[in-house]
Amino acid sequence: MLLYVDAQYASPYAMSVFVGLKEKGIPFDMQTLDLGAGANRSADYAATSLTQRVPTLVDGNFRLSESSAITEYLDEVHSGTALYPADPKAKARARQIQAWLRSDLLPIRQERTTEVLFYGPSNAPLSTAAEQAAQRLFKAADTLLAQDREHLFETWCIADVDLAVMLNRLVLNGDDVPARFADYAKRQWERASVQAWVDLPRPPL
């Protein structure tokens, strides 16, 4: 398999698929694209990726973009660690969490980009809009994370990585985050598959 990712290894969506491949124990190669230079808009990449975004997975003659679609595909066709809960309702809930994190909380994503995670914190304070988004995040996390659970569900799933990424945008920047959620994000960050992404050698910005 071949996985197309961004040249800075900073895309949370590429990270999610990378972690999924690692958890499944699937051998794969990576190809980086300089998104800042518009490499994803080249004719060659357009012929490979329907959305012209990263990540895109190439599996033989099959090409697939959009991270949650890729991780669902991997879970359906490969053994190894399950990326989604087996129970249909729990799986639907995990997909809901992924979709929400990708479509909401824009002020956090804008003011605490993934550069915070992989290059260093921002000195700028959160805006009022970002503070409000953070409170929505914490309220949802309080609903989703049972007090006595290490993960969102009975066992780890890929949605844990996505939620930890969003929380760590704040945690690793030194913003105020309730201790229970900060501890959860730290535990998820220590997972070997996540650390394999964190430890990738990144070029300077």
Side-chain angles (χ1 to χ4, degrees):
M1 289 192 182
L2 175 63
L3 180 65
Y4 285 91
V5 302
D6 60 303
Q8 276 71 42
Y9 303 115
S11 165
Y13 314 119
M15 175 183 176
S16 186
V17 174
F18 175 96
V19 168
L21 287 162
K22 287 289 187 180
E23 291 287 343
K24 288 290 187 185
I26 302 170
F28 66 100
D29 295 318
M30 282 198 297
Q31 178 69 48
T32 60
L33 293 172
D34 185 346
L35 303 184
N40 56 307
R41 294 190 295 273
S42 70
D44 286 346
Y45 191 61
T48 299
S49 174
L50 177 68
T51 61
Q52 294 182 255
R53 299 195 291 188
V54 295
T56 290
L57 182 74
V58 179
D59 183 9
N61 293 325
F62 182 61
R63 293 163 171 77
L64 186 64
S65 52
E66 298 304 307
S67 57
S68 58
I70 297 171
T71 51
E72 285 189 65
Y73 167 71
L74 294 175
D75 218 25
E76 289 174 357
V77 301
H78 290 278
S79 59
T81 301
L83 303 183
Y84 290 91
D87 175 73
K89 291 181 180 178
K91 181 178 180 180
R93 180 73 73 185
R95 293 176 63 193
Q96 174 186 266
I97 293 166
Q98 287 187 298
W100 173 63
L101 292 169
R102 285 157 170 73
S103 62
D104 198 359
L105 309 174
L106 180 61
I108 297 176
R109 289 186 276 125
Q110 288 177 327
E111 298 178 30
R112 297 295 183 259
T113 70
T114 50
E115 291 178 11
V116 165
L117 304 178
F118 307 117
Y119 284 94
S122 167
N123 294 324
L126 290 172
S127 67
T128 299
E131 291 278 10
Q132 292 171 344
Q135 292 306 311
R136 293 203 308 277
L137 173 63
F138 302 152
K139 183 177 180 180
D142 189 55
T143 299
L144 294 166
L145 290 168
Q147 291 283 349
D148 58 345
R149 280 189 186 169
E150 184 176 353
H151 309 296
L152 285 164
F153 304 97
E154 293 294 339
T155 59
W156 175 89
C157 78
I158 198 68
D160 283 299
V161 174
D162 295 332
L163 180 56
V165 166
M166 186 60 74
L167 288 167
N168 269 335
R169 290 174 187 262
L170 302 169
V171 174
L172 298 181
N173 199 72
D175 299 307
D176 290 335
V177 176
R180 183 163 74 96
F181 307 146
D183 290 343
Y184 162 82
K186 182 176 184 292
R187 288 195 305 271
Q188 299 303 324
W189 219 241
E190 291 170 349
R191 196 171 181 89
S193 56
V194 174
Q195 281 297 302
W197 175 268
V198 172
D199 289 342
L200 289 171
R202 291 175 172 80
L205 288 173

